[in-house]
């Protein structure tokens, strides 16, 4: 039993090592950084649009009401 468990552990560690090496290579080539930067900018733009919509909604709700003085008579 112990031997099979060791084999599984080694196999899992080999897969993790390979994945880490591939990620390192992506960072070293700049590829990973470029993808992360694009994703970040996409998220920032989406949040900026959301903020603008919320600010417009707040401004609309906080505008003073303008009544015609004759309509209040």
């Amino acid at each position: 039993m112990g031997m099979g468990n060791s084999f599984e552990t080694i196999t899992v560690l080999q897969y993790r090592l390979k994945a880490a090496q591939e990620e390192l290579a992506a960072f070293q080539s700049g590829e990973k950084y470029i993808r992360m930067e694009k994703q970040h900018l996409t998220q920032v733009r989406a949040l900026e649009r959301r903020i603008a919509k919320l600010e417009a909604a707040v401004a609309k709700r906080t505008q003073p009401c303008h009544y015609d003085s004759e309509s209040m008579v």
Side-chain angles (χ1 to χ4, degrees):
M1 247 194 219
M3 193 173 187
N5 192 17
S6 295
F7 175 77
E8 290 174 11
T9 302
I10 291 170
T11 302
V12 167
L13 290 174
Q14 287 174 332
Y15 280 115
R16 287 183 184 176
L17 175 60
K18 183 177 179 185
Q21 288 171 332
E22 289 172 356
E23 187 173 22
L24 176 61
F27 269 112
Q28 288 174 334
S29 72
E31 190 177 313
K32 177 82 172 180
Y33 174 77
I34 291 169
R35 283 195 314 258
M36 288 173 64
E37 186 176 28
K38 285 181 182 179
Q39 182 181 12
H40 174 72
L41 289 175
T42 300
Q43 291 173 342
V44 168
R45 288 185 189 118
L47 290 171
E48 287 172 343
R49 285 191 300 271
R50 184 174 176 198
I51 289 169
K53 285 180 184 179
L54 291 171
E55 286 175 339
V58 168
K60 186 176 180 180
R61 288 185 179 190
T62 59
Q63 287 179 349
C65 296
H66 298 290
Y67 294 104
D68 186 5
S69 60
E70 292 182 17
S71 66
M72 295 186 70
V73 177

